[in-house]
Amino acid sequence: MTVVASDRRAAAEPAATRRSPDGDVPRRRNAETIAWIYTRISALAMVILVLAHLAIMHLTGARDALSAAFVRSRLAEPGWLAFDLALLVLALSHGMTGLRAAGHDHVSSGRTRSVVTWACAIVTVVLAVFGTLVLALLHLRT
Amino acid sequence: MRPGVGALASRVNRVAALAVLGFLALHIAETSLAVFAPPVYDATMRLYRMPPFVVAEFLLVAAVMYHVLWGSFVMVVELAPRTARRRRLVWCALAAGYAVTLVAVAYIMIFPLFPGGR
């Protein structure tokens, strides 16, 4: 059986690389691609939540009635709790993914980029855990 | 070489996004006061009703809306690259819609601060 150069190249390609149907453009799914896709998906998922949150909190009379008791009474309802949790996680992850990408635009060193990525990941987790804890406590303490 | 309109708009988007992200972190901390120090939270909410903070809120809403519009434009161009050929027309349409929406939001949020406001 004759082995041609294209077979050797195909065998040498890492598993994460796939060719497009026409075989010309290599497709790569790596962390950058996943982050790019996630930024778009999270934006679409939360655009309605964000606009609703802004409209309710800033354009209605809710602003003038805002107090700790009001927040506790609103978060006593599971629907509002789920709304705020989804908004928290989506907004944090979307924002930090974008911040990571913006940071990488200004940093060329691979090591510094790694620091930026880890810093964004840690801040995301810390704020998400803290925010979830706050919402859960507000839900439970009614 | 002077940056083009698109580059400037992209930089404004980044500044707006950073501002919103910074506000989000502060918002999480401020909401935690409702759990750990309710009287301080109530005092903070009274402070937010003062005019300088209402103006800051308006700027926050403006920043969020700008970020949403710019991100929508980017996704439209990614999905339909031919849109980029008419990007100036799209920018003008988005800018007009943005301006109209901002005026409406200002009418709701800012005008009541003035004597005789709505």
Side-chain angles (χ1 to χ4, degrees):
Chain A
M1 183 175 109
T2 306
V3 177
V4 297
S6 58
D7 291 336
R8 280 197 290 270
R9 276 199 300 272
E13 279 184 1
T17 305
R18 297 286 182 268
R19 293 270 161 186
S20 62
D22 56 10
D24 290 335
V25 179
R27 282 180 175 180
R28 297 179 189 275
R29 283 202 194 100
N30 54 19
E32 293 300 326
T33 309
I34 293 170
W36 184 89
I37 292 171
Y38 180 76
T39 303
R40 274 83 184 142
I41 292 176
S42 60
L44 289 172
M46 76 169 164
V47 65
I48 301 295
L49 299 181
V50 166
L51 294 178
H53 181 72
L54 286 177
I56 291 167
M57 299 311 296
H58 297 281
L59 304 181
T60 66
R63 269 186 69 250
D64 297 328
L66 208 51
S67 65
F70 174 84
V71 172
R72 275 198 302 273
S73 65
R74 201 181 83 159
L75 284 172
E77 298 174 33
W80 280 117
L81 177 65
F83 179 96
D84 284 349
L85 276 174
L87 191 53
L88 171 71
V89 171
L90 286 171
L92 264 179
S93 56
H94 175 86
M96 285 302 180
T97 306
L99 182 64
R100 185 199 71 97
H104 283 199
D105 284 349
H106 297 280
V107 166
S108 56
S109 156
R111 187 171 183 178
T112 312
R113 283 185 169 184
S114 180
V115 169
V116 168
T117 300
W118 275 106
C120 288
I122 290 169
V123 170
T124 303
V125 170
V126 167
L127 286 178
V129 168
F130 182 66
T132 302
L133 176 69
V134 166
L135 290 175
L137 287 174
L138 285 168
H139 174 70
L140 295 171
R141 287 187 187 180
T142 52
Chain B
M1 188 171 144
R2 287 177 59 193
V5 174
L8 282 173
S10 179
R11 286 180 195 174
V12 170
N13 173 63
R14 282 219 166 154
V15 171
L18 281 172
V20 173
L21 188 60
F23 168 77
L24 177 60
L26 283 175
H27 190 44
I28 293 171
E30 153 225 301
T31 305
S32 70
L33 294 175
V35 174
F36 304 117
V40 178
Y41 182 81
D42 291 345
T44 307
M45 291 303 108
R46 283 193 294 273
L47 187 67
Y48 283 178
R49 288 173 209 145
M50 297 179 69
F53 289 94
V54 175
V55 173
E57 268 185 66
F58 169 76
L59 293 175
L60 170 69
V61 173
V64 170
M65 284 167 39
Y66 185 93
H67 188 63
V68 169
L69 279 179
W70 183 257
S72 304
F73 169 72
V74 167
M75 282 199 282
V76 165
V77 170
E78 287 170 350
L79 290 172
R82 287 188 181 179
T83 312
R85 294 182 192 172
R86 305 195 177 185
R87 60 187 178 277
R88 291 185 195 279
L89 182 64
V90 176
W91 286 339
C92 287
L94 288 177
Y98 183 60
V100 168
T101 309
L102 274 191
V103 167
V105 171
Y107 176 74
I108 296 171
M109 293 182 74
I110 305 292
F111 280 36
L113 296 177
F114 294 97
R118 67 174 193 98

